[in-house]
Amino acid sequence: MFKIKNILLPTDFSATSLTAAEYALELANEYKANLHVLHVLEKMPPILAIRSLDLSREKIRQSIDADAQLQLDECIKKIKKIRDAEIIPAIRKGVDFEEIIKYSKEKKIDLIVIATHGRTGILHTLLGSVAEKVIRYSKIPVLGITGTGGAGKS
């Protein structure tokens, strides 16, 4: 049996991605582990936003960063309503599954808890889900949570 000291909960802020929060919180409580909540942003702002709004890349990037931080703060509040816990929030930029794997290595994560259905819709069919890629490429255990459990409901 291995010790679980750090648990990672990746989120895209969708209600479905929060379904995994209940499990992550329960495990963090059981093992007295740190709970990391990670959101990954795309590196480049959408080209359409730059052209249609006639804004600089830097202004769009700042706006996206600020919005992501607000959403992460809101996400943490929702998670703490389920169970008050010490949470380590993080935002990264890059390819979602790659950044999740990289973060897990850097922070010595022992377990990743991830919802298997995010807000990917048709993109899931074309590209494969983030959860599927995390499960495939992770060197540490990944707990995939399916369904739309109570955590994500408002």
Side-chain angles (χ1 to χ4, degrees), residues 21-106:
E22 286 182 36
Y23 294 92
L25 283 165
E26 188 66 33
L27 288 165
N29 185 54
E30 180 75 24
Y31 289 97
K32 308 287 187 265
N34 297 315
L35 179 59
H36 298 250
V37 177
L38 173 67
H39 177 68
V40 180
L41 291 168
E42 293 178 36
K43 274 188 178 180
M44 294 298 295
I47 300 295
L48 289 176
I50 294 169
R51 290 193 175 148
S52 64
L53 299 175
D54 196 30
L55 297 173
S56 71
R57 284 180 191 246
E58 189 56 35
K59 285 191 182 215
I60 290 175
R61 189 172 289 123
Q62 288 172 352
S63 175
I64 290 171
D65 290 352
D67 184 54
Q69 188 61 56
L70 286 172
Q71 287 186 68
L72 182 60
D73 293 345
E74 193 60 35
C75 176
I76 300 296
K77 286 179 191 173
K78 287 179 184 178
I79 291 171
K80 285 187 174 197
K81 282 183 183 177
I82 299 167
R83 171 179 277 151
D84 193 27
E86 190 66 34
I87 296 173
I88 301 164
I91 295 176
R92 294 286 177 97
K93 290 182 184 174
V95 177
D96 41 25
F97 78 95
E98 291 174 354
E99 290 300 320
I100 292 167
I101 301 294
K102 191 185 307 181
Y103 184 91
S104 70
K105 289 177 185 174
E106 290 171 8

